């Protein structure tokens, strides 16, 4: 069965609700008819209006982070159930900007993944090594995967997705080569196999992220273990995002 590729746009801290609705209005008529999964990870305040505008389309709206508790005295934080009610169906977790700018630790990320699965919002767990860690990237990626996932029972991983994003490739214009990415993805799948069994591991989508654009997207999707892409900067323009979807 041919894989249906994923394109996840990570808007980061860009676009107000109003800008998002214009964006979606522009994007929808530009999209191809073929099969693809298109996810937009938008700022919290934009979720509700983006979800309303995307309602009759195949686009899914999600968040870029959440807290691990169901509710509680955590000023400034946001819970999975709040995201869901606002219209989010997925959430990015452990993005390198969360790990590095906000000091998110592995144990916290692990609790968030467990919470997302328990509260029925699809987690996209981001992993990847920094430039300094490049010589031992496998060790880093394995540790990030194991620490986040080792307590999750295999029967609960249905909705889980992984994004491999080498930190040196994020926002730098220096994407990994498809070969390097494929090697990392194959390794991620091997680790997932040891955690959940090979059959489950085969079905977990693994996306590549880091300077993906309309020129390079196709070459990544040719690789057997690359099931889609996570796109930051190049997703901010609806024309560019539509071109990425056309070139899968
Ligand atoms: P980039 O960001 O596409 O701008 O490199 C990717 C990401 O941070 O998810």
């Amino acid at each position: 069965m041919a894989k249906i590729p994923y394109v996840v746009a990570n808007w980061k801290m860009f676009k107000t609700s109003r800008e998002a609705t214009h964006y979606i209005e522009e994007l929808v008529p530009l999209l191809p008819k073929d099969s693809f999964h298109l996810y937009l990870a938008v700022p919290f305040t934009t979720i509700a209006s983006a979800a309303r505008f995307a309602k009759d389309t195949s686009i899914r709206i999600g968040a870029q982070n959440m807290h691990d508790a169901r509710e509680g005295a955590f000023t400034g934080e946001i819970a999975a159930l709040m995201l869901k009610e606002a219209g989010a169906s997925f959430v990015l977790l452990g993005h390198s900007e969360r790990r590095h700018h906000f000091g998110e630790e592995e144990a916290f990320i692990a609790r968030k993944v467990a919470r997302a699965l328990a509260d029925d919002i699809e987690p996209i767990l981001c992993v990847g090594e920094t430039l300094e860690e490049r010589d031992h990237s496998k060790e880093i990626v394995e540790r990030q995967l194991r620490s986040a996932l080792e307590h999750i029972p295999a029967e609960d991983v249905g909705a889980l997705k992984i994004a491999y994003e080498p930190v040196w490739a994020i926002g730098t214009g220096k994407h990994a080569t498809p070969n390097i990415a494929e090697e990392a993805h194959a390794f991620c799948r091997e680790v997932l196999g040891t955690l959940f069994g090979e059959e489950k591991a085969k079905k977990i989508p693994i996306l590549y992220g880091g300077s993906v654009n309309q020129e390079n997207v196709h070459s990544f999707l040719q690789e057997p273990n690359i099931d889609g892409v996570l796109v930051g900067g190049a997703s901010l323009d609806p024309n560019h995002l539509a071109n990425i979807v056309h070139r899968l």
Side-chain angles (χ1 to χ4, degrees):
M1 200 179 69
K3 58 187 178 189
I4 299 180
Y6 288 84
V7 176
V8 179
N10 176 12
W11 284 1
K12 310 194 180 191
M13 201 173 73
F14 291 98
K15 297 198 189 296
T16 64
S17 296
R18 189 175 310 160
E19 287 165 342
T21 53
H22 290 314
Y23 177 109
I24 293 169
E25 272 178 337
E26 262 189 73
L27 175 68
V28 170
L30 301 173
L31 293 172
K33 297 271 174 288
D34 345 335
S35 301
F36 55 86
H37 299 286
L38 180 55
Y39 288 26
L40 305 181
V42 305
F44 292 141
T45 51
T46 301
I47 291 171
S49 58
R52 249 192 329 271
F53 265 72
K55 196 164 135 274
D56 299 320
T57 75
S58 57
I59 300 170
R60 291 174 61 180
I61 303 298
Q64 303 167 13
N65 184 32
M66 60 173 231
H67 195 266
D68 70 301
R70 177 157 283 153
E71 59 184 3
F74 300 105
T75 303
E77 287 293 330
I78 193 101
L81 295 175
M82 298 166 184
L83 296 176
K84 273 184 53 181
E85 200 176 290
S89 61
F90 73 94
V91 59
L92 302 181
L93 296 175
H95 189 280
S96 70
E97 285 153 17
R98 300 296 319 168
R99 293 177 194 260
H100 299 120
H101 301 324
F102 301 98
E104 285 197 7
E105 292 186 351
E106 284 172 358
F108 188 32
I109 296 166
R111 294 197 302 272
K112 293 182 190 213
V113 174
R115 169 62 59 203
L117 290 168
D119 285 352
D120 204 20
I121 185 162
E122 206 172 281
I124 302 180
L125 170 67
C126 304
V127 299
E129 78 286 358
T130 63
L131 190 58
E132 296 72 41
E133 294 165 337
R134 216 173 152 177
D135 290 344
H136 49 290
S137 60
K138 284 191 173 170
E139 198 186 305
I140 302 297
V141 165
E142 178 164 10
R143 198 191 61 218
Q144 292 175 344
L145 286 173
R146 285 195 189 284
S147 64
L149 302 173
E150 64 194 348
H151 301 299
I152 308 286
E155 59 273 21
D156 291 352
V157 294
L160 175 72
K161 290 170 187 56
I162 304 296
Y164 168 66
E165 298 201 294
V167 181
W168 47 267
I170 295 179
T172 58
K174 292 188 195 129
H175 62 87
T177 62
N179 281 345
I180 291 178
E182 167 60 21
E183 202 184 311
H185 282 224
F187 178 69
C188 289
R189 207 171 300 282
E190 210 179 291
V191 175
L192 294 172
T194 66
L195 288 164
F196 306 123
E198 250 178 66
E199 277 314 300
K200 292 257 182 212
K202 266 193 222 157
K203 296 198 183 110
I204 298 177
I206 307 179
L207 321 182
Y208 167 76
S211 297
V212 172
N213 58 37
Q214 58 189 21
E215 271 77 47
N216 60 32
V217 63
H218 186 69
S219 59
F220 288 111
L221 267 298
Q222 299 313 298
E223 300 293 341
N225 282 291
I226 302 184
D227 303 303
V229 286
L230 177 49
V231 191
S235 74
L236 293 174
D237 174 342
N239 287 291
H240 203 135
L241 186 66
N243 286 344
I244 288 176
V245 178
H246 276 277
R247 292 177 189 192
L248 293 169

